[in-house]
Amino acid sequence: QVRVVESGGGLVQPGGSLRLTCAASGSILRINDMGWYHQAPGKPRDMVAISTRDGTTNYTDSVKGRFTISRDNAKNTVYLQMNSLDPEDTAAYYCKAMIRVWGLEYYQDYWGQGTQVTVSS
């Protein structure tokens, strides 16, 4: 069974930093894209940053220059370094991994349970 688990969220002051971690585990043959998404109350879940297996990255405009996504394929882990945080960044942050598992011939998306990021004075 595949698990995707996020950690690293918390309460931080405006201008501060957090580093989120997402680790996938289980019967994983290969992970393609991994990414971070956020969702504030009453709003849809939106993409924040995506990393392909070879390290190509894509960011939503609001976080460019402030957030950095990276990954460690040997550990099936992706990170989101969040700097210069703003109250508008407050949301639940979810990790999604595109994973091929043993016995299947295709990739499926697996979501973590989320980690809360609150930016407030």
Side-chain angles (χ1 to χ4, degrees):
Q1 183 176 1
V2 173
R3 292 201 309 153
V4 177
V5 180
E6 305 99 330
S7 61
L11 176 64
V12 64
Q13 294 182 337
S17 298
L18 286 173
R19 182 177 175 86
L20 306 184
T21 298
C22 170
S25 61
S27 58
I28 298 170
L29 296 182
R30 188 177 180 88
I31 301 179
N32 200 337
D33 296 351
M34 301 184 79
W36 290 95
Y37 300 73
H38 66 184
Q39 185 171 25
K43 296 183 179 180
R45 187 174 299 183
D46 293 326
M47 185 271 286
V48 176
I50 295 174
S51 176
T52 66
R53 183 174 178 83
D54 66 2
T56 301
T57 59
N58 187 32
Y59 300 90
T60 191
D61 286 343
S62 64
V63 308
K64 289 180 179 177
R66 299 189 299 124
F67 293 6
T68 302
I69 188 170
S70 60
R71 62 192 289 174
D72 184 340
N73 290 333
K75 298 172 65 175
N76 291 331
T77 299
V78 65
Y79 308 92
L80 186 68
Q81 179 65 47
M82 310 166 68
N83 298 327
S84 301
L85 283 162
D86 186 273
E88 293 181 358
D89 297 315
T90 296
Y93 283 73
Y94 298 87
C95 176
K96 185 179 78 173
M98 184 181 296
I99 298 173
R100 184 182 177 185
V101 303
W102 186 93
L104 297 180
E105 300 178 354
Y106 52 89
Y107 288 87
Q108 291 183 294
D109 290 338
Y110 290 83
W111 289 92
Q113 293 179 306
T115 184
Q116 179 67 36
V117 172
T118 301
V119 185
S120 176
S121 300

